[in-house]
Amino acid sequence: MATDTLIYHLYPLGLCGATAHNTGGEAVPRLEKLYAWIAYLADLGVSSVYWGPIFESGSHGYDTSDYFHLDRRLGTDETLKAVIAAFHARGLRVIVDGVFNHVGRDFWAFRDVREKGLGSRYSNWFCGLKSGTTPYGDPFTYDTWNGCYELVKLNTSNPEVREHLFDAVRWWKQEFDIDGLRLDAADVLDLGFQKALRNVCRVWEPDFLLLGEVIHGDYRLWANPETLHTVTNYEVYKGLYSSHNDKNYFEIAWSLNRQFGPEGLYRNFLPYNFADNHDVNRIASTLHEKAHLYPLYLLLLTIPGLPSLYYGSEAGLTGVKTQGLEADAPLRPALDSPEELKKANQELTAALQRLIRLRAEHKGLRQGNYRELAVRADLLAFERWYGEENVIVVSNARAEAQSVHLTNIPSGQYRDALNGDELFFAEGNQLMIDKVWPFWGRVLVKN
């Protein structure tokens, strides 16, 4: 099912070395660089890939100009079809960015508005269109995304706009066989539109994923049976890095209890959990102590949710936002092949492979319930269970080994499936773990 997956996030325009601006001309099949990533991702243990924006746009991909063609900087529609088919051949699902809240100024309907003004046949395709002026010198103004006039807000309550976008989604499924959509700016995208989109996509369930980008708010507003399957978990994203930087596991423990504990708000769906992405600093640049990458990824891959890895971060790739129009460029670097990553940090990548394999082997880690067992400033222990399977996870953020005494757990024999199958015995619903390695942890599976 689409909601039982591990996602690898690629940003093709950056990764494939596309020019910063689309100047037209012949298509260049840069997307073919992704062929080299297929075996690497399959070996890593990934089951789905999410591609950042790939359809025709003016610059970074979120300023769409044509929903019905691959960005010429990446190739032709045939390029896209062939690359997706190759990913599918290795069992990798492909989720693409659905940028439906706004378009670029070169979008064909907005070009008509630029030429004809408020009298354009398409003036009601956009929000807030009225007399005024813009930084581009237009004799009118309009609503934008976050004050960015290069991103023109679509009127997604307009039936014509909806049908145009829904036709694009049907086209993407029919022609390219995509496996899901990540809705950009879902937190400001009309909810009625999102529900209508769910109905369009329902025919492809349960193997089609609708993921929404949501920064703040009650995630249940978007993630529910009528709207989307899941949303980005920015609360856990923040807690993962700041709990390590501040030596305060109480923060992430509080969030996990709030979201997934016995009275958890989000027990009915699996949020999209991540440590970094194309919009925020790389996690290796955010953490004060680089060794914290290990316990952080241990948590990411064992807590409830759909975990996501951003390309290169599994090898400790760094990147920090700058200022100006290309502020995000350091987060979205070009890489010739994954061979660069294999050489960058083999130890971290190997640790992630072990965690990914462990998650794949145990449904308790993918679908199980959550219960906190112990929390200190630098140690967190919790239980995951599904059916007859019980898993205990302990993460140690300290530079020294720690011990922990756990109570109120099922008695019996446990094996450390993460570290060589060492055996532990819980008696009287109590378990003593004498050693949890520094900057690492244990994953105990009840036999």
Side-chain angles (χ1 to χ4, degrees), residues 38-294:
I38 295 174
Y40 170 79
L41 295 176
D43 290 344
L44 190 60
V46 170
S47 49
S48 297
V49 290
Y50 150 47
W51 294 353
I54 57 172
F55 295 101
E56 191 80 88
S57 71
S59 57
H60 44 61
Y62 291 101
D63 50 347
T64 312
S65 56
D66 189 337
Y67 288 102
F68 286 85
H69 294 291
L70 179 68
D71 194 300
R72 71 189 65 213
R73 292 171 292 170
L74 296 174
T76 66
D77 294 348
E78 292 303 314
T79 308
L80 177 59
K81 188 181 299 186
V83 174
I84 290 181
F87 272 75
H88 284 167
R90 285 299 300 266
L92 297 170
R93 301 186 184 106
V94 178
I95 300 160
V96 302
D97 234 322
V99 187
F100 302 137
N101 179 69
H102 46 261
V103 294
R105 285 174 53 85
D106 285 330
F107 180 64
W108 61 271
F110 193 71
R111 283 204 309 269
D112 194 80
V113 173
R114 289 167 57 187
E115 294 171 6
K116 301 174 183 175
L118 300 181
S120 166
R121 153 79 174 78
Y122 300 103
S123 60
N124 62 353
W125 277 45
F126 306 98
C127 293
L129 201 64
K130 60 185 179 181
S131 297
T133 188
T134 68
Y136 291 96
D138 304 304
F140 53 81
T141 188
Y142 47 86
D143 291 347
T144 67
W145 176 82
N146 204 30
C148 300
Y149 277 89
E150 66 271 22
L151 302 178
V152 188
K153 186 168 177 62
L154 277 173
N155 178 11
T156 51
S157 63
N158 181 330
E160 287 186 339
V161 173
R162 287 190 179 189
E163 200 54 33
H164 180 77
L165 298 177
F166 296 160
D167 281 348
V169 172
R170 295 185 188 104
W171 173 254
W172 299 346
K173 183 63 178 174
Q174 174 188 332
E175 290 298 310
F176 311 119
D177 197 21
I178 64 169
D179 300 290
L181 293 169
R182 179 265 195 189
L183 301 190
D184 182 60
D187 46 7
V188 293
L189 181 61
D190 176 54
L191 276 174
F193 170 83
Q194 296 183 55
K195 292 178 180 179
L197 176 63
R198 176 69 177 270
N199 287 332
V200 169
C201 301
R202 206 176 294 275
V203 66
W204 306 315
E205 294 181 358
D207 296 318
F208 194 88
L209 182 69
L210 286 177
L211 155 69
E213 181 195 23
V214 174
I215 311 298
H216 305 293
D218 186 339
Y219 297 156
R220 294 172 297 182
L221 182 63
W222 296 272
N224 59 66
E226 293 184 351
T227 315
L228 308 177
H229 298 108
T230 187
V231 297
T232 52
N233 197 346
Y234 269 87
E235 178 182 346
V236 160
Y237 151 73
K238 193 270 180 184
L240 282 172
Y241 75 76
S242 59
S243 285
H244 287 91
N245 282 347
D246 298 340
K247 298 180 174 58
N248 179 23
Y249 263 173
F250 291 96
E251 178 187 356
I252 188 63
W254 185 88
S255 289
L256 293 173
N257 276 328
R258 191 182 87 89
Q259 294 192 358
F260 309 115
E263 305 298 325
L265 298 176
Y266 306 143
R267 296 182 68 195
N268 294 325
F269 74 97
L270 297 172
Y272 175 95
N273 297 331
F274 60 97
D276 50 12
N277 62 29
H278 65 301
D279 285 328
V280 300
N281 293 342
R282 294 270 182 172
I283 189 61
S285 295
T286 300
L287 290 176
H288 300 160
E289 169 61 70
K290 295 299 186 292
H292 279 153
L293 286 168
Y294 292 87

Side-chain angles (χ1 to χ4, degrees), residues 299-375:
L299 290 178
L300 178 67
L301 289 160
T302 58
I303 63 176
L306 302 179
S308 174
L309 304 175
Y310 185 48
Y311 80 99
S313 288
E314 75 275 14
L317 203 67
T318 57
V320 176
K321 290 169 72 83
T322 58
Q323 300 294 320
L325 295 177
E326 305 299 328
D328 293 324
L331 313 176
R332 310 167 180 181
L335 296 176
D336 288 335
S337 80
E339 295 302 318
E340 298 178 52
L341 301 180
K342 290 180 180 179
K343 300 172 184 177
N345 193 330
Q346 295 179 358
E347 183 180 1
L348 179 61
T349 303
L352 275 162
Q353 283 180 306
R354 290 162 63 189
L355 290 166
I356 291 168
R357 184 167 56 249
L358 199 60
R359 184 179 181 277
E361 291 171 352
H362 297 285
K363 199 162 188 175
L365 292 177
R366 303 195 313 275
Q367 301 285 335
N369 295 302
Y370 173 89
R371 182 169 67 95
E372 179 186 299
L373 297 175
V375 60

